[in-house]
Amino acid sequence: MDRLDAMKLFVASVDEGSLAAAGRRHGRSAASVTRAIALLEGIAGEALLLRSTRRLHLTSAGERHVAVWRDVLLRLGDIAPSPSEGPMRGSFVLTAPELFGRLKVMPVLETFLRREPSTSARVLLVNRLVDLIGEGVDMAVRLAPLPDSTMTATKLGDVRTLVCASPDYIARCGIPATPQDLGRFDCIGLNVEGDGELWSFGSEAESARVRSIRVRTRLSLNNAGAGIDAAVRGLGLVRTRGYQVAEDLATGRLVTVLTAFEPPPQPAHLVFHPDRGSRGVVRAFIDHAVPALRDEFRRITAMLDAIGEPTPPKSDHLPAE
């Protein structure tokens, strides 16, 4: 195994948070990734990565080394023109879920387009799985576990699923103690076909186990943003993704409930075909977007971690059946 190959596997391990995931990303076995880390630690003469049963931790030396290796790999893959070659030119097609794309991806894209005025982009903000090859799309932001494919995936962060309500609604109607209590609350859903919806929750005793509860939706919409607005105005409980409500939670317009039953977070990735992602304007946008979106996920995580559950009203009552 050469050093460059080992660097790729090491950086992938840090990005993915596991040796097995890094192996899958590059079509290698977990044993190969382990050998790559051992090779680099032998060259460095010190430990770079600490492994526990649940996650990976960089040592201080590992943090220094991975920053250098990431820069080396980006430079090797970056064929942006030199000043003598003139400005970067080209176009690309990007897709993302509608609300995440509007709130988080578009600001990153707009910054890139201002920085590279001779480039252009076409954006598909749709809540469906886009076929990158069949629909001529260069990159996709995916907020769900990825199926096995020939695509390259770079992890951006994790997406939490929360149940929220306005402080006014909590004061009037109380706080559900368990997911089973939701039958006695007004819920806002995205199932416009009927008056019920399945909401997934983890188990307080077994956080890895997920089960679904059917809730009564007094209001059903086909737009998550409109559902969140209705919750802010006190119409009921809404189940939504953390990035969608982080600002509302931070300002107190919404509060979270049932956090002990929160399901495991879903991964967010930037997905692209290896051939398209290795050159030109696509490579340049990937290099720009990945660190910016990772920073945004870290900011959202910090905001959500700082928010606790609301204090139950003095009456601590539940609405009548």
Side-chain angles (χ1 to χ4, degrees), residues 8-133:
K8 291 178 181 178
L9 293 174
F10 188 97
V11 172
S13 298
V14 174
D15 290 346
E16 298 293 340
S18 93
L19 305 187
R24 288 192 297 270
R25 176 169 157 184
H26 288 286
R28 306 290 289 276
S29 67
S32 296
V33 182
T34 300
R35 288 196 297 272
I37 294 170
L39 170 65
L40 294 174
E41 288 181 332
I43 294 171
E46 54 188 327
L48 303 175
L49 200 61
L50 302 178
R51 281 151 277 178
S52 68
T53 56
R54 299 190 64 182
R55 58 178 300 181
L56 304 177
H57 302 270
L58 284 168
T59 65
S60 57
E63 291 178 351
R64 295 194 303 271
H65 281 80
V66 79
V68 174
W69 294 336
R70 194 186 299 279
D71 183 64
V72 168
L73 294 172
L74 290 176
R75 287 176 183 274
L76 288 174
D78 184 0
I79 60 169
S82 65
S84 62
E85 296 174 315
M88 172 172 289
R89 300 180 185 277
S91 63
F92 57 89
V93 184
L94 170 69
T95 184
E98 182 181 5
L99 193 54
F100 185 83
R102 179 168 64 83
L103 294 177
K104 305 302 179 185
V105 177
M106 286 305 299
V108 173
L109 173 61
E110 290 161 11
T111 299
F112 177 81
L113 293 176
R114 283 193 292 269
R115 192 188 76 185
E116 303 292 349
S118 296
T119 65
S120 60
R122 182 164 64 90
V123 182
L124 305 176
L125 301 182
V126 292
N127 296 322
R128 63 176 176 85
L129 192 64
V130 173
D131 177 359
L132 270 64
I133 300 300

Side-chain angles (χ1 to χ4, degrees), residues 52-303:
S52 68
T53 56
R54 299 190 64 182
R55 58 178 300 181
L56 304 177
H57 302 270
L58 284 168
T59 65
S60 57
E63 291 178 351
R64 295 194 303 271
H65 281 80
V66 79
V68 174
W69 294 336
R70 194 186 299 279
D71 183 64
V72 168
L73 294 172
L74 290 176
R75 287 176 183 274
L76 288 174
D78 184 0
I79 60 169
S82 65
S84 62
E85 296 174 315
M88 172 172 289
R89 300 180 185 277
S91 63
F92 57 89
V93 184
L94 170 69
T95 184
E98 182 181 5
L99 193 54
F100 185 83
R102 179 168 64 83
L103 294 177
K104 305 302 179 185
V105 177
M106 286 305 299
V108 173
L109 173 61
E110 290 161 11
T111 299
F112 177 81
L113 293 176
R114 283 193 292 269
R115 192 188 76 185
E116 303 292 349
S118 296
T119 65
S120 60
R122 182 164 64 90
V123 182
L124 305 176
L125 301 182
V126 292
N127 296 322
R128 63 176 176 85
L129 192 64
V130 173
D131 177 359
L132 270 64
I133 300 300
E135 299 184 49
V137 175
D138 296 301
M139 295 164 280
V141 175
R142 298 268 163 84
L143 306 182
L146 298 176
D148 291 336
S149 74
T150 59
M151 297 294 169
T152 297
T154 298
K155 188 171 182 182
L156 304 173
D158 291 302
V159 181
R160 291 173 59 184
T161 300
L162 307 172
V163 178
C164 306
S166 70
D168 173 66
Y169 183 85
I170 294 298
R172 288 186 286 110
C173 301
I175 301 173
T178 70
Q180 287 76 9
D181 293 334
L182 289 173
R184 292 179 279 179
F185 287 81
D186 294 324
C187 296
I188 301 166
L190 299 177
N191 176 21
V192 294
E193 300 299 324
D195 61 356
E197 188 167 279
L198 290 175
W199 288 6
S200 297
F201 292 93
S203 167
E204 192 171 27
E206 304 172 61
S207 59
R209 182 183 173 191
V210 177
R211 56 179 176 165
S212 297
I213 300 292
R214 181 167 291 280
V215 302
R216 175 175 59 89
T217 52
R218 186 181 181 197
L219 172 66
S220 296
L221 309 100
N222 66 345
N223 182 277
I228 293 167
D229 291 343
V232 169
R233 291 191 288 267
L235 202 63
L237 300 167
V238 67
R239 179 176 175 269
T240 184
R241 288 175 162 175
Y243 72 86
Q244 298 172 341
V245 291
E247 303 292 342
D248 290 317
L249 291 169
T251 58
R253 290 189 294 269
L254 290 174
V255 294
T256 55
V257 299
L258 298 174
T259 55
F261 301 91
E262 182 181 322
Q266 299 290 297
H269 291 87
L270 182 65
V271 179
F272 51 92
H273 193 281
D275 291 342
R276 294 183 182 179
S278 64
R279 58 183 184 270
V281 67
V282 174
R283 178 75 257 172
F285 179 73
I286 292 169
D287 294 345
H288 168 79
V290 167
L293 290 173
R294 283 179 179 158
D295 285 346
E296 181 61 14
F297 271 105
R298 282 191 285 266
R299 186 183 74 86
I300 293 168
T301 297
M303 290 175 65

